[in-house]
Amino acid sequence: MPLSSFHPVVARWFQQRFGEPTPPQLSGWETIRSGRHTLIAAPTGSGKTLAAFLYSLDQLFREGLEAPLPDETRVVYVSPLKALSADIHLNLAEPRREIRRLAEELGWSAPRITAAIRSGDTPAAERAAMIQKPPHILVTTPESLYLLLTAQRSREMLRTVETVIVDEIHAVVESRRGAHLALTLERLDHVARRPVQRIGLSATVKPIEEVGKWLVGGYADVLEGNGGRPSARPPARPSARIIDAGHRRALDLALELPKSPLEAVMSGEVWGEVYDRLTELIKAH
């Protein structure tokens, strides 16, 4: 899915901010737009987060241009780490703010897309406000999502969810947390008014096919040693489209030495050369 498929404001913001999309983003957007469950395995720094989020941001932006966005949760982002949830929440704030500012500069009446974080550290006042006025994007942890599905009032907030993004799958899939999260995703499917699209993200995950099965909660469509008859398992669910972009980034390595001779204990002047060169490289990248 090329950038031209997004709203012009969203596409322009991306180009100004990042330039050209990465291969995982192009492949991910195309599959996500088709509505299929998607598992993206790509190196750190390859843009997996925007590969998962940008299509939803684009859809909310387009809808908000047509009419005021209702206060309802459309996207749930699940992170196994509370610190990562907070980081993603901050990373979401910047794109939403910049896209809105660019839209206003171009003469569009930009909608306000909201996001909120719900974890064990979220104050009670913020939890109550979230239920009264649900965010469009909810950032949470596996355990907090479970609790939200358990309480009746917060469960109502999740009935409008259309997409769930599970980040860092490798951190939970082989543990009891992974089994618990798999059950929670099934409960979310049961609560939501429509089938929820599942998007999984991971930097390192093997065997990737098994993780894809875990993501969708389905069963392998196989015949067992049962006289050639199908097994008594429930019918297979739609499989996840797997986008495997590898696990290592392309590296550009170089060895640099200061102009002054290296000694066992370097002088302040030599360290100054090192710092000056580091500053030049940082500014150039």
Side-chain angles (χ1 to χ4, degrees), residues 52-71:
F53 271 116
L54 195 62
Y55 180 73
S56 293
L57 287 174
D58 183 76
Q59 293 301 104
L60 287 167
F61 183 83
R62 290 174 183 268
E63 182 180 337
L65 292 177
E66 299 294 330
L69 285 172
D71 295 325

Side-chain angles (χ1 to χ4, degrees), residues 10-243:
V10 176
R12 183 168 177 175
W13 167 79
F14 187 95
Q15 287 180 319
Q16 291 179 350
R17 191 75 169 77
F18 301 103
E20 293 300 316
T22 63
Q25 289 173 337
L26 291 171
S27 300
W29 293 334
E30 187 65 40
T31 305
I32 291 169
R33 182 175 65 170
S34 72
R36 287 190 61 179
H37 302 310
T38 306
L39 173 60
I40 303 175
T44 300
S46 57
K48 292 189 300 295
T49 302
L50 275 180
F53 271 116
L54 195 62
Y55 180 73
S56 293
L57 287 174
D58 183 76
Q59 293 301 104
L60 287 167
F61 183 83
R62 290 174 183 268
E63 182 180 337
L65 292 177
E66 299 294 330
L69 285 172
D71 295 325
E72 57 186 35
T73 300
R74 302 287 184 81
V75 181
V76 172
Y77 170 88
V78 185
S79 163
L81 304 174
K82 286 190 291 186
L84 183 57
S85 294
D87 185 54
I88 290 295
H89 180 53
L90 291 174
N91 289 338
L92 271 175
E94 188 174 78
R96 289 182 293 118
R97 182 172 59 250
E98 292 179 352
I99 289 172
R100 190 178 186 188
R101 182 169 59 244
L102 178 60
E104 291 172 349
E105 291 174 358
L106 297 174
W108 296 85
S109 180
R112 183 170 180 267
I113 302 172
T114 59
I117 187 169
R118 172 65 159 83
S119 71
D121 297 331
T122 305
E126 292 184 17
R127 299 183 191 184
M130 196 180 304
I131 293 175
Q132 294 294 328
K133 189 175 182 180
H136 301 121
I137 302 172
L138 176 64
V139 180
T140 188
T141 62
E143 291 75 20
S144 291
L145 179 58
Y146 165 78
L147 293 175
L148 287 169
L149 286 162
T150 301
Q152 182 175 354
R153 292 183 65 194
S154 55
R155 187 165 58 241
E156 289 297 318
M157 179 179 73
L158 298 174
R159 294 195 183 279
T160 54
V161 171
E162 299 174 355
T163 304
V164 58
I165 301 170
V166 184
D167 201 358
E168 303 293 330
I169 283 186
H170 62 275
V172 298
V173 69
E174 291 184 321
S175 66
R176 286 180 291 180
R177 288 185 79 196
H180 191 262
L181 177 57
L183 178 60
T184 298
L185 293 176
E186 293 300 311
R187 295 183 69 195
L188 178 62
D189 254 346
H190 180 72
V191 165
R193 295 170 183 165
R194 62 174 69 182
V196 178
Q197 183 182 24
R198 302 184 186 188
I199 302 172
L201 305 176
S202 182
T204 55
V205 57
K206 290 183 179 181
I208 194 169
E209 293 79 11
E210 293 300 317
V211 178
K213 294 175 185 176
W214 177 92
L215 176 64
V216 301
Y219 296 86
D221 187 15
V222 297
L223 297 180
E224 296 184 341
N226 190 23
R229 298 189 301 274
S231 67
R233 294 180 175 185
R237 295 185 179 187
S239 61
R241 166 75 190 282
I242 296 174
I243 299 170

